[in-house]
Amino acid sequence: SKINGKTVIVVSAIKNVTNNLLDFTRNKNVKLIDTIININKSLISNLNLNITFFEKEINYLYTMMYKQLELQDKINLISYGETFTAKILDQFLKTNNLNSEYLDTTEFINCDLKNDNIFNKGKFTVDNKILDLYLEKNDVIVVPGFRGKNIENQISLMGRGGSDTTGALIAASLNSQKYEIWTDVNGLYSADPKNVKHSIIINNIDYDIAQEISAMGAK
């Protein structure tokens, strides 16, 4: 999203990281933690970054390996996939001399309900004052999607696809000039291309039909 020449980048977790974190909270397979760390280490290596900035995140995962996980522990852990990606991207931008800063969404996105489940069904809203302060000082702000802070000052998770929701909330709140979603698929298909050989991309679609397709179970 761009506003007055400034950019807010909302990131998702790397593919499969959130699924692995969810699986870990269910069955405590410690091998999943190594898998998650290695996925992120690989990205750090590919970007030629010094891994020292990431040691805190790695240590956090290791401390959770043998902990008895309460509901809030699980929520915090599942939210970390986006933290990893955001901090890696922020470090990459800084390394390339861009005026970038990491800002956690728990600092400016609020939820009006307590956490009764992994995913909070409450209303998430944006506090523009915090965002404006960071946008005044930086050209780029990198934020982790998928989460906010509830009325008990705890991390609260949006549903799956929450990073796109986060971006939309921020773009609308800032009255942004443009909101772009960068994804690993080309667009909306007539059917799942993994299962239907001759599925085609739908070049033009209105919001009502897109919403209906989503309600029918399309991802």
Side-chain angles (χ1 to χ4, degrees):
S1 308
K2 289 187 177 179
I3 182 168
N4 297 328
K6 302 298 182 76
T7 303
V8 179
I9 303 176
V10 182
V11 300
S12 298
I14 303 173
K15 187 176 181 180
N16 293 327
V17 166
T18 300
N19 287 337
N20 284 330
L21 287 167
L22 277 164
D23 288 345
F24 176 76
T25 63
R26 292 169 183 146
N27 60 38
K28 294 299 293 290
N29 181 351
V30 295
K31 291 182 180 179
L32 290 170
I33 296 297
D34 284 329
T35 299
I36 294 162
I37 290 171
N38 288 334
I39 289 172
N40 286 279
K41 276 186 173 181
S42 177
L43 177 59
I44 291 168
S45 175
N46 289 338
L47 294 175
N48 296 316
L49 299 175
N50 188 320
I51 201 168
T52 52
F53 78 95
F54 202 67
E55 288 176 352
K56 179 181 175 182
E57 280 63 46
I58 293 174
N59 291 336
Y60 170 77
L61 282 182
Y62 282 139
T63 61
M64 301 301 282
M65 287 178 72
Y66 302 104
K67 188 179 188 296
Q68 182 67 37
L69 299 178
E70 305 295 334
L71 174 61
Q72 192 58 49
D73 295 319
K74 294 178 181 180
I75 290 170
N76 295 348
L77 186 57
I78 293 165
S79 79
Y80 245 72
E82 280 70 19
T83 301
F84 300 150
T85 317
K87 291 198 171 181
I88 292 169
L89 177 58
D90 178 56
Q91 188 69 24
F92 175 75
L93 295 176
K94 283 182 167 68
T95 302
N96 285 273
N97 300 317
L98 283 169
N99 183 19
S100 169
E101 189 162 356
Y102 171 88
L103 173 62
D104 202 300
T105 32
T106 56
E107 297 291 327
F108 65 91
I109 292 183
N110 303 304
C111 179
D112 62 351
L113 293 180
K114 297 178 182 180
N115 292 331
D116 294 325
N117 296 288
I118 293 292
F119 301 116
N120 195 304
K121 299 296 185 181
K123 181 180 180 181
F124 289 82
T125 55
V126 175
D127 181 352
N128 273 9
K129 287 180 280 189
I130 303 293
L131 268 176
D132 288 343
L133 285 172
Y134 275 76
L135 286 169
E136 285 177 10
K137 297 184 294 182
N138 302 280
D139 295 325
V140 181
I141 298 174
V142 183
V143 303
F146 191 38
R147 68 172 180 256
K149 179 179 63 180
N150 70 8
I151 56 176
E152 296 181 323
N153 289 324
Q154 298 171 319
I155 292 175
S156 288
L157 297 180
M158 304 173 187
R160 297 304 299 268
S163 291
D164 290 349
T165 305
T166 305
L169 279 172
I170 294 171
S173 179
L174 292 175
N175 194 25
S176 298
Q177 296 169 5
K178 185 184 291 185
Y179 173 44
E180 298 178 351
I181 298 178
W182 293 20
T183 182
D184 57 355
V185 295
N186 297 327
L188 286 171
Y189 281 78
S190 58
D192 188 341
K194 295 177 182 177
N195 301 322
V196 181
K197 184 176 180 181
H198 297 294
S199 60
I200 59 172
I201 291 178
I202 303 170
N203 290 318
N204 297 288
I205 190 168
D206 64 32
Y207 287 110
D208 290 336
I209 295 175
Q211 189 172 24
E212 185 172 341
I213 291 173
S214 176
M216 296 295 289
K219 294 183 180 179

